[in-house]
Amino acid sequence: MNRELTKALWSDALEFFRQAGENRVEPSYALREDLAGLRIYEEPIFAVAGAGDVMFEGLKQEHAIGPHYLTPKEWLPSALTVVAYFLPFSETVRRSNRIHPSHPSTEWQHGRIEGELMNTVFRRYIAAWLREQGFESLIPGEDPRYQVREPVSSNWSERHAAYIAGLGTFGMSKGLITEKGIAGRVGTVITSAPLAVTERPYHDLYEYCNRCGACARRCPAGAITPGPNLHSCKSNPACGDFLQPLKDWSAAGGDTRPPEEQDEYRPEKMRIRFGCGKCQAGVPCESRIPRQRSE
Ligand code: SF4
Ligand code: SF4
């Protein structure tokens, strides 16, 4: 376990993050003039999982992800650790999506599209940094073996890897609640580097969720039904059914911004812009671990 190497990685990754132009909306792509230069993320948090953690093997069980799931060592035989990070959406992106009950805010759509580009750039920076130090690194989502099974089950899960790394626990909405909340994006890199493994500060898959049900009340699709068993509260098909028409409409050049903003229609900017995220904004776990409710 190499603590110095781990510290150097975090330090350089944070410096890269602070300088990254991709964390701002490029003016020519801004969907509203005032969104030119919009900051997408606040500073990330990091954690490291041991590649041989038995929890990865456990994800092959049917009730978890399934036998199609590949463990870190199946992706990269030399793997020793998995780097996980969480990029929290900025206050502007989060606040904007609290307002309209069903339309994703324009800022949120930037977070979803430009935000994922920044996430890609950040993953690649970490992978390249590790390679420069002489280690192997692999990003499962960019590997030819990566597969998504409909409706939403792939052979690698960044949220589960982040959970195993100690970055956060799941919520009723199935997002990952971290110390910086649930609204943001997760990234992972598998590596042969002997990084210092993070001690998980929790014991249960849903420990940080206080079961308040706010995400269920916010969901315009009725895809979340509060109940004692958090494994089955969220219906991925119902969530997908809500998102699919928006995706199709957007792919056909439709304007998915809130109605009051649809004054200046620019289809070339709107293409493939859709989203929802109502279960992640305006909820107690939006930007922190929520207070547990008193019994
Ligand atoms: S809104 Fe409440 S119930 Fe839903 S994930 Fe957050 S803490 Fe859990
Ligand atoms: S993304 Fe939207 S539709 Fe899907 S669960 Fe969250 S609030 Fe519901």
Side-chain angles (χ1 to χ4, degrees), residues 208-230:
Y208 291 165
C209 176
N210 68 8
R211 285 120 167 113
C212 66
C215 50
R217 293 190 289 278
R218 292 271 296 154
C219 177
I224 306 170
T225 310
N229 182 358
L230 293 197

Side-chain angles (χ1 to χ4, degrees), residues 72-89:
K73 284 178 180 292
E74 286 172 316
W75 287 104
L76 181 70
S78 63
L80 287 181
T81 54
V82 180
V83 176
Y85 60 82
F86 178 72
L87 290 160
F89 282 139

Side-chain angles (χ1 to χ4, degrees), residues 224-240:
I224 306 170
T225 310
N229 182 358
L230 293 197
H231 286 295
S232 52
C233 284
K234 160 108 182 265
S235 162
N236 285 330
C239 174

Side-chain angles (χ1 to χ4, degrees), residues 171-173 177 182 208-216 279 283-285 290:
M172 188 183 285
S173 60
I177 304 175
I182 198 167
Y208 291 165
C209 176
N210 68 8
R211 285 120 167 113
C212 66
C215 50
C279 52
V283 292
C285 57

Side-chain angles (χ1 to χ4, degrees), residues 184-223:
R185 305 208 56 109
V186 173
T188 51
V189 178
I190 302 173
T191 178
S192 63
L195 299 168
V197 171
T198 309
E199 195 177 329
R200 268 192 298 277
Y202 41 75
H203 303 286
D204 181 78
L205 204 54
Y206 297 99
E207 195 164 310
Y208 291 165
C209 176
N210 68 8
R211 285 120 167 113
C212 66
C215 50
R217 293 190 289 278
R218 292 271 296 154
C219 177

Side-chain angles (χ1 to χ4, degrees), residues 37-102:
L38 169 74
R39 179 183 163 101
I40 301 170
Y41 296 118
E42 290 164 10
E43 293 206 343
I45 50 175
F46 304 90
V48 177
D53 193 309
V54 290
M55 277 192 179
F56 284 113
E57 194 63 36
L59 294 176
K60 284 181 177 287
Q61 292 174 31
E62 285 291 358
H63 70 268
I65 293 179
H68 61 290
Y69 177 81
L70 299 180
T71 65
K73 284 178 180 292
E74 286 172 316
W75 287 104
L76 181 70
S78 63
L80 287 181
T81 54
V82 180
V83 176
Y85 60 82
F86 178 72
L87 290 160
F89 282 139
S90 66
E91 163 81 20
T92 312
V93 171
R94 288 186 279 109
R95 191 179 53 225
S96 67
N97 208 34
R98 293 175 198 154
I99 304 162
H100 199 284
S102 56

Side-chain angles (χ1 to χ4, degrees), residues 221-287:
I224 306 170
T225 310
N229 182 358
L230 293 197
H231 286 295
S232 52
C233 284
K234 160 108 182 265
S235 162
N236 285 330
C239 174
D241 287 351
F242 177 77
L243 289 171
Q244 192 60 47
L246 286 171
K247 191 175 178 181
D248 294 344
W249 170 241
S250 165
D255 193 338
T256 52
R257 290 175 295 178
E260 61 277 14
E261 290 180 28
Q262 294 181 3
D263 53 344
E264 196 191 347
Y265 181 58
R266 284 175 285 180
E268 76 285 357
K269 291 189 180 182
M270 290 310 303
R271 205 168 287 280
I272 325 179
R273 288 196 183 272
F274 68 101
C276 176
K278 297 298 170 186
C279 52
Q280 297 182 14
V283 292
C285 57
E286 179 189 290
S287 60

